[in-house]
């Protein structure tokens, strides 16, 4: 018989998660995030076993190990939570091992009660504890406790029951919990885990067009004066006060003249129509240039610096396409698709046509084109941009993104890429696998209770290892029917859902003003800002009570104050007997169960790598010593009618302690929107009027 390679460990470990493509790509995490770990661990026979999740840091050192606990009975599934404390490449290992103490204790309890092999079982227990005491990594304090247990089992002067209690001493239990007796330790392969800075996976985004901020119309001449970076910077304090972390700017480059689009995407533009910022390139330059009406490089630098002073970062649109006037069209025609009549193909997404945009072709000169794009990205990084929102990445080859993102991250690991990919799931997920930290998502079109619940389960429990959604409630291109016809309540409902369910969310300016009128027959705004100036008087709207800004501010402040809302994978859905009301909770423990840092590593004591010049406004707030943070959200999805229901909570998901409960087993909750307080339990009556408040955002009150 020929020899075959043995792949199974002595204690088999299979199905480790989070793992992406068998470890070909790293799973995603952000610093301080709770990462659920799962594995199937089993063995032959009836002896007991255990499992441990181990995290290795960027230098290969062990930084964390957590004893795993069994999940669903009978499935051999073990679970744990790891919490990386450093930025950088990590590795995850699950160790399966034989648990001789649990095996002995079970057998000894059964046999001694039955009067079988009593002295033999007690002697075997004593020998087990003496072997454990001799392990070189044991502390002297551990040895004393283990030796005491051995002597207690071997002490023939005491009765049998008393001798057995020596193996159940609370101090012994603490020793074995911290460092269990392990045999036949069988580690899984090391699987990569990419731990990135907080803004890669947490944050509130605000999109606005700098040219509209401070833009002025002159009726006597019928002309416009564009806003600039200087006037746009005047809007930044208000955005910061609302609690946003990222200011996202559409393209700020020169705009082409050929086939320039007019208002509402019409084919004829007047002399005062500014054109679409996504039609990049003119005689003033291409992707490396700034539109002269917005200002200079120095003006942009001051804008970036002002945002940083206010605790925000600037995200820039990376739109890899060109207007017919872009310098690349003249200098590198091979970077485009030439049709049989000699013309260059413009962009199309039937029935939409973009005659003012030429898409790039990566097949004719892939080396030259990818080098040019890398140069553009490096240039804007040097100008202070650390976050890129990438326009339509699904229309470019996957290999290109894998190459570009890896190349950028080798020199600039702090850089974040958001994929604006509204396409089929396979491509959206693949973009995450090859390096995108964030992606736009289908959240925008999930409106019913069941649609939202199904999608939340998908993104929090099924795809989080490689796909991190950013829940934008609107974009310049997307004004859903729900917002068009739902009234102000619809805007509040979508904001609650986005901010409370996901650590990443975003909005396009005008949302706070309840802008809801669509171009007839389209799912986008009338008088679309992509094609014209659109100055807004935010202050007047707020003074007159016509603004959602105070509500958004409250939601963002709740997010920052509660660590439970800053993780993705800790969401639990709860039952409600009304098909228009959704209930979910998020819980974050002060420290994961079974967690301890590896001795001497200092892991868990700091916030990890600090990137010079990069604020981390979305950094984790950990202000809950000794107990958990739990938020319960109950929200209606009906923006028109009052709804009543009973919400039935899975109490095990709330991490309630005895001291949190009253004599009737109920606990106190505080509504973080209204300030009201109630006593809640497993079954709770709710009544939601969307014209008053469409949601309860409840904090579980902890008792010390």
């Amino acid at each position: 018989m020929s020899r075959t390679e043995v792949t199974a460990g002595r204690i088999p470990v299979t199905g480790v998660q989070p793992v992406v493509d068998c470890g070909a790509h790293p799973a995603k995490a952000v610093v301080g995030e709770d990462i659920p770990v799962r594995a199937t661990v089993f063995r032959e026979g009836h002896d007991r076993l255990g499992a441990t999740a181990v995290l290795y840091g960027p230098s290969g050192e062990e930084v964390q190990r957590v004893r795993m606990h069994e999940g669903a009975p009978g499935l051999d599934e073990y679970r744990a939570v790891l919490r990386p404390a450093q930025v950088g490449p990590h590795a995850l290992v699950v160790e399966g091992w034989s648990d001789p103490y649990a095996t002995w204790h079970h057998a000894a309890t059964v046999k001694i009660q039955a009067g079988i092999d009593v002295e033999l079982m007690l002697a075997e227990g004593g020998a087990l504890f003496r072997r454990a005491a001799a392990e070189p990594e044991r502390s002297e304090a551990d040895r004393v406790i283990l030796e005491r247990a051995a002597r207690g089992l071997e002490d023939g002067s005491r009765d049998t029951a008393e001798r057995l209690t020596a193996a159940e001493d609370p101090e012994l239990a603490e020793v074995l919990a911290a460092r269990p007796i392990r045999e036949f330790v069988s580690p899984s392969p090391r699987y990569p885990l990419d731990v990135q800075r907080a803004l890669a996976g947490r944050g509130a985004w605000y999109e606005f067009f700098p040219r509209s901020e401070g833009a002025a119309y002159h009726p006597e001449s019928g002309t416009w004066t564009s806003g600039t970076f200087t006037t746009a910077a005047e809007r930044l304090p208000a955005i910061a006060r609302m609690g946003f972390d990222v200011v996202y700017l559409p393209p700020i480059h020169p705009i082409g003249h050929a086939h320039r689009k007019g208002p509402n995407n019409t084919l004829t533009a007047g002399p005062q129509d500014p054109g679409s910022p996504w039609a990049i390139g003119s005689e003033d330059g291409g992707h490396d240039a700034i539109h002269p009406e917005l200002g200079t490089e120095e003006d942009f630098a001051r804008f970036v610096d002002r945002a940083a002073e206010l605790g925000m970062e600037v995200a820039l649109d990376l739109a890899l396409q060109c207007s017919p006037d872009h310098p690349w069209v003249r200098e590198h025609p091979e970077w485009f698709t030439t049709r049989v009549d000699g013309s260059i193909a413009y962009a199309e997404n039937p029935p939409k046509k973009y005659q003012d945009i030429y898409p790039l072709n990566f097949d004719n000169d892939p080396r030259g084109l990818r080098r040019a794009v890398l140069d553009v990205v490096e240039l804007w990084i040097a100008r202070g941009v650390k976050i890129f929102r990438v326009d339509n990445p699904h229309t470019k080859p996957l290999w290109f993104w894998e190459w570009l993102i890896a190349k950028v991250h080798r020199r600039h690991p702090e850089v974040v890429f958001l994929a604006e990919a509204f396409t089929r799931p396979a491509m959206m997920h693949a973009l995450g696998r090859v390096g995108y930290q964030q992606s736009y998502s289908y959240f925008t079109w999930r409106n019913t209770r069941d649609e939202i619940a199904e999608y939340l389960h998908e993104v929090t429990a099924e795809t989080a290892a490689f796909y991190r959604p950013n829940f934008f409630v609107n974009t310049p291109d997307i004004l859903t029917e729900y917002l068009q016809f739902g009234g102000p309540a619809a805007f509040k409902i979508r904001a609650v859902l986005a901010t409370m369910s996901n650590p990443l969310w975003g909005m396009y300016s005008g949302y706070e003003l309840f802008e809801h009128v669509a171009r007839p027959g389209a799912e986008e705004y009338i008088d679309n800002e992509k094609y014209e100036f659109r100055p807004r008087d935010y202050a007047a709207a707020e003074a007159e009570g016509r603004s959602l800004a105070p509500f958004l501010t409250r939601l963002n402040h709740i997010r920052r104050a509660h660590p439970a809302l800053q993780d993705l994978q800790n969401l639990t859905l709860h039952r409600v007997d009304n098909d228009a009301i959704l209930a979910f909770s998020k819980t974050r423990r002060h420290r994961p169960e079974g967690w301890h840092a590896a001795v001497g590593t200092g892991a868990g004591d700091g916030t990890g790598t600090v990137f010079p010049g990069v604020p981390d406004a979305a950094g984790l707030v950990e202000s809950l010593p000794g107990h958990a943070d739990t938020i319960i959200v109950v929200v209606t999805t009906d923006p028109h009618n009052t709804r009543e229901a009973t919400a039935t909570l899975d109490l095990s998901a709330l991490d309630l302690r005895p001291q949190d409960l009253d004599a009737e087993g109920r606990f106190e909750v505080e509504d973080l929107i209204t300030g009201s307080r109630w006593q809640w339990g497993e079954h709770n009556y709710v009544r939601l009027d969307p014209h008053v408040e469409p949601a309860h955002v409840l904090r579980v009150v902890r008792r010390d």
Side-chain angles (χ1 to χ4, degrees):
M1 182 181 294
S2 62
R3 297 180 61 186
T4 58
E5 183 178 356
V6 175
T7 59
R10 180 64 183 83
I11 307 296
V13 178
T14 63
V16 177
Q17 291 295 333
V19 174
V20 178
D21 297 336
C22 300
H25 297 106
K28 298 184 186 302
V30 295
V31 65
E33 179 184 10
D34 280 354
I35 305 297
V37 179
R38 301 190 309 275
T40 300
V41 186
F42 57 97
R43 67 172 302 171
E44 81 293 345
H46 302 288
D47 285 1
R48 302 303 174 91
L49 57 80
T52 304
V54 186
L55 186 65
Y56 294 89
S59 300
E61 76 285 8
E62 180 183 317
V63 295
Q64 227 173 88
R65 62 171 47 243
V66 178
R67 176 77 177 268
M68 304 180 77
H69 60 274
E70 284 194 78
L75 297 182
D76 297 316
E77 183 187 65
Y78 285 77
R79 300 178 180 181
V81 173
L82 293 172
R83 184 177 295 173
Q86 292 176 276
V87 170
H90 287 61
L92 164 68
V93 171
V94 171
E95 298 173 341
W97 39 273
S98 177
D99 188 342
Y101 169 73
T103 300
W104 169 82
H105 187 266
H106 173 72
T109 302
V110 172
K111 287 188 175 184
I112 289 173
Q113 286 179 351
I116 300 172
D117 297 335
V118 173
E119 288 299 326
L120 178 59
M121 295 307 300
L122 293 171
E124 287 182 347
L128 174 64
F129 291 134
R130 291 193 188 280
R131 288 200 308 272
E135 292 172 351
E137 65 270 18
R138 295 283 179 187
S139 67
E140 184 59 34
D142 282 5
R143 291 192 182 94
V144 169
I145 293 170
L146 289 163
E147 290 283 0
R148 185 176 69 203
R151 290 193 302 271
L153 291 172
E154 297 164 350
D155 187 356
S157 66
R158 297 190 291 175
D159 63 43
T160 300
E162 188 178 0
R163 292 165 68 183
L164 186 59
T165 60
E168 299 166 346
D169 178 73
E171 288 188 324
L172 177 65
E174 289 184 12
V175 168
L176 296 181
R179 191 179 292 278
I181 303 171
R182 308 195 307 163
E183 295 178 348
F184 308 131
V185 177
S186 305
S188 72
R190 290 196 178 197
Y191 295 108
L193 180 71
D194 187 14
V195 181
Q196 300 204 345
R197 67 187 182 105
L199 279 178
R202 302 186 184 105
W205 288 52
Y206 186 94
E207 176 183 2
F208 77 104
F209 288 69
R211 71 184 186 188
S212 289
E213 295 300 324
Y217 179 67
H218 308 290
E220 66 281 359
S221 61
T223 61
W224 280 89
T225 299
S226 173
T228 66
F229 288 126
T230 299
T231 57
E234 297 174 7
R235 174 72 180 143
L236 293 177
I239 298 172
R241 285 194 299 272
M242 283 191 287
F244 287 94
D245 309 298
V246 178
V247 174
Y248 154 49
L249 306 181
I252 59 173
H253 315 296
I255 298 172
H257 301 285
H259 304 292
R260 177 176 287 192
K261 294 296 184 71
N264 291 308
N265 201 26
T266 55
L267 298 180
T268 303
Q272 283 298 306
D273 291 327
S276 168
W278 283 271
I280 297 170
S282 74
E283 67 277 5
D284 294 312
H287 287 76
D288 55 349
I290 292 173
H291 197 300
E293 291 185 357
L294 292 176
T296 64
E297 288 183 31
E298 292 74 18
D299 294 328
F300 178 73
R302 283 190 286 270
F303 181 88
V304 172
D305 289 344
R306 179 58 177 148
E309 290 172 2
L310 295 166
M312 299 185 296
E313 282 195 48
V314 173
L316 189 62
D317 200 295
L318 180 63
L320 299 185
Q321 59 212 26
C322 301
S323 84
D325 302 318
H326 196 292
W328 286 356
V329 177
R330 299 188 305 274
E331 298 166 4
H332 295 282
E334 70 277 10
W335 291 354
F336 304 89
T337 298
T338 303
R339 308 186 73 173
V340 294
D341 62 358
S343 65
I344 294 178
Y346 58 76
E348 294 184 79
N349 184 15
K352 296 180 179 180
K353 294 184 178 182
Y354 304 93
Q355 296 90 338
D356 54 340
I357 292 173
Y358 289 166
L360 296 172
N361 185 325
F362 284 80
D363 294 325
N364 297 331
D365 179 22
R367 289 183 178 273
L369 183 51
R370 77 181 189 184
R371 182 71 248 179
V373 174
L374 178 61
D375 288 345
V376 167
V377 173
E378 290 279 5
L379 173 67
W380 288 104
I381 292 173
R383 291 174 175 171
V385 176
K386 308 298 182 184
I387 304 176
F388 293 91
R389 178 270 198 190
V390 181
D391 191 66
N392 288 328
H394 53 289
T395 63
K396 285 79 179 174
L398 202 62
W399 69 259
F400 165 71
W401 295 120
E402 187 168 18
W403 176 86
L404 178 70
I405 294 172
K407 198 81 171 176
V408 170
H409 281 167
R410 274 195 287 273
R411 292 189 59 188
H412 311 284
E414 74 278 15
V415 171
V416 174
F417 290 92
L418 165 65
E420 188 254 355
F422 295 113
T423 184
R424 298 179 304 279
M427 175 57 85
M428 295 173 74
H429 294 168
L431 290 166
R433 285 182 164 95
V434 301
Y436 275 92
Q437 295 100 321
Q438 305 176 22
S439 176
Y440 282 54
S441 74
Y442 295 129
F443 166 77
T444 318
W445 295 278
R446 300 297 187 261
N447 294 315
T448 69
R449 191 275 301 270
D450 291 344
E451 288 174 348
I452 297 165
E454 180 181 2
Y455 194 60
L456 288 179
H457 176 76
E458 175 186 326
V459 298
T460 62
E462 297 177 2
T463 60
F466 53 85
Y467 176 78
R468 295 297 178 99
N470 193 323
F471 282 1
F472 266 78
V473 291
N474 69 328
T475 77
D477 292 307
I478 301 171
L479 175 64
T480 63
E481 289 186 359
Y482 188 90
L483 294 178
Q484 291 177 36
F485 305 110
F491 285 74
K492 296 181 80 171
I493 290 167
R494 298 302 292 179
V496 168
L497 287 167
T499 58
M500 297 295 107
S501 67
N502 188 12
L504 284 165
W505 87 286
M507 58 170 271
Y508 156 57
S509 59
Y511 188 88
E512 66 268 53
L513 302 183
F514 306 107
E515 292 179 358
H516 65 281
V517 180
R519 182 163 57 87
E523 197 181 54
E524 63 178 45
Y525 291 89
I526 191 74
D527 302 329
N528 199 293
E529 197 170 3
K530 291 187 298 181
Y531 309 108
E532 57 190 89
F533 299 106
R534 192 165 183 169
R536 299 172 174 91
D537 193 340
Y538 299 98
E542 189 165 350
E544 296 167 9
R546 297 183 289 104
S547 173
L548 193 61
F551 187 75
L552 298 172
T553 301
R554 183 63 184 148
L555 293 177
N556 275 334
H557 288 177
I558 291 170
R559 283 164 52 87
R560 287 189 174 181
H562 288 275
L565 300 175
Q566 298 172 27
D567 280 357
L568 175 63
Q569 300 178 71
N570 61 340
L571 183 141
T572 299
L573 294 165
H574 300 274
R575 296 196 310 274
V576 183
D577 61 2
N578 186 309
D579 64 6
I581 295 181
L582 176 73
F584 61 87
S585 66
K586 306 193 83 174
T587 294
R588 179 182 169 94
R589 291 184 173 181
H590 173 65
R591 183 169 288 184
E593 183 179 3
W595 181 95
H596 70 279
V599 176
T601 65
D605 296 329
T607 59
T609 302
V610 175
F611 297 110
V614 179
D616 229 347
L620 191 67
V621 178
E622 192 66 90
S623 59
L624 301 162
H627 52 75
D629 177 38
T630 297
I631 299 295
I632 303 168
V633 178
V634 185
V635 55
T636 181
T637 58
D638 181 351
H640 304 290
N641 305 296
T642 298
R643 295 280 186 153
E644 301 179 50
T646 298
T648 300
L649 302 179
D650 175 2
L651 298 182
S652 66
L654 308 183
D655 203 32
L656 297 168
R657 306 166 301 166
Q659 60 264 45
D660 298 326
L661 305 174
D662 63 17
E664 298 178 354
R666 299 176 71 79
F667 55 93
E668 186 175 6
V669 294
E670 177 190 11
D671 192 319
L672 298 175
I673 294 177
T674 66
S676 300
R677 290 191 175 221
W678 301 282
Q679 294 298 118
W680 271 38
E682 182 179 6
H683 305 287
N684 308 280
Y685 168 78
V686 293
R687 182 180 187 274
L688 295 172
D689 181 346
H691 305 295
V692 180
E693 290 298 348
H696 293 309
V697 177
L698 306 174
R699 173 182 71 93
V700 173
V701 178
R702 303 291 178 176
R703 304 299 183 190
D704 294 327

